[in-house]
Amino acid sequence: MTQHQSTQTMKPATAAKKLGVYLEATPAEFREGVVSRAELNALQADPPQWLRDLRRDGPHPRPVVAAKLGVSISGLARAGLTEPLTTEQIEALKQERPEWLERERATQAEVRKEAARLKQRDRENAESAENGG
């Protein structure tokens, strides 16, 4: 009995997410097909011009926008930003430093600080348990 390994494929939306690009801005042939794991790896290893342009200029999906602004996706939603933004728009927001952006950055910094504190606490508890403590 021979086993045939099936080619793993994914929807374009999944591939776009893995590539960190906004699906609606990708070429039609990308949006209308399926993407194999090998094709995804090839796109990541040697991105075509359209992919390099999208990553550089946008429009960017919300997770990328949030990361570039240093806020959470929820923070974008609270600020009413639900649409993809271009790199130029993101840079303009960074320059303007609106009050909501400063507030959300501070919130994000607190979240990161708390996560680091909990990680440290868990590490100390694990070490204590290992040492019979």
Side-chain angles (χ1 to χ4, degrees):
M1 220 192 235
T2 345
Q3 277 196 322
H4 295 287
Q5 188 165 1
S6 63
T7 304
Q8 272 191 326
T9 60
M10 61 193 83
K11 294 177 181 175
T14 304
K17 188 174 184 178
K18 290 179 181 287
L19 292 169
V21 295
Y22 181 56
L23 178 64
E24 301 307 314
T26 61
E29 61 269 13
F30 180 86
R31 289 192 311 268
E32 293 164 3
V34 294
V35 180
S36 71
R37 173 66 59 191
E39 289 168 329
L40 178 69
N41 290 342
L43 287 169
Q44 289 173 323
D46 185 22
Q49 190 61 49
W50 66 263
L51 182 52
R52 289 196 301 270
D53 292 345
L54 263 181
R55 285 178 168 168
R56 184 185 62 240
D57 303 326
H60 302 288
R62 283 182 304 162
V64 174
V65 173
K68 286 179 179 279
L69 289 173
V71 300
S72 67
I73 295 172
S74 300
L76 289 179
R78 282 190 291 274
L81 291 177
T82 56
E83 296 300 312
L85 298 178
T86 64
T87 300
E88 189 176 316
Q89 291 169 313
I90 292 167
E91 291 305 316
L93 280 171
K94 286 179 176 179
Q95 294 299 315
E96 293 167 15
R97 299 174 68 108
E99 187 269 329
W100 71 264
L101 180 56
E102 296 301 310
R103 185 178 60 245
E104 291 299 337
R105 281 180 167 174
T107 300
Q108 191 70 2
E110 286 299 316
V111 167
R112 286 189 190 113
K113 198 160 95 178
E114 179 63 6
R117 186 190 70 77
L118 293 174
K119 189 175 180 180
Q120 179 64 30
R121 182 201 64 192
D122 293 347
R123 192 171 23 250
E124 288 168 0
N125 287 345
E127 288 172 7
S128 176
E130 285 176 7
N131 297 331

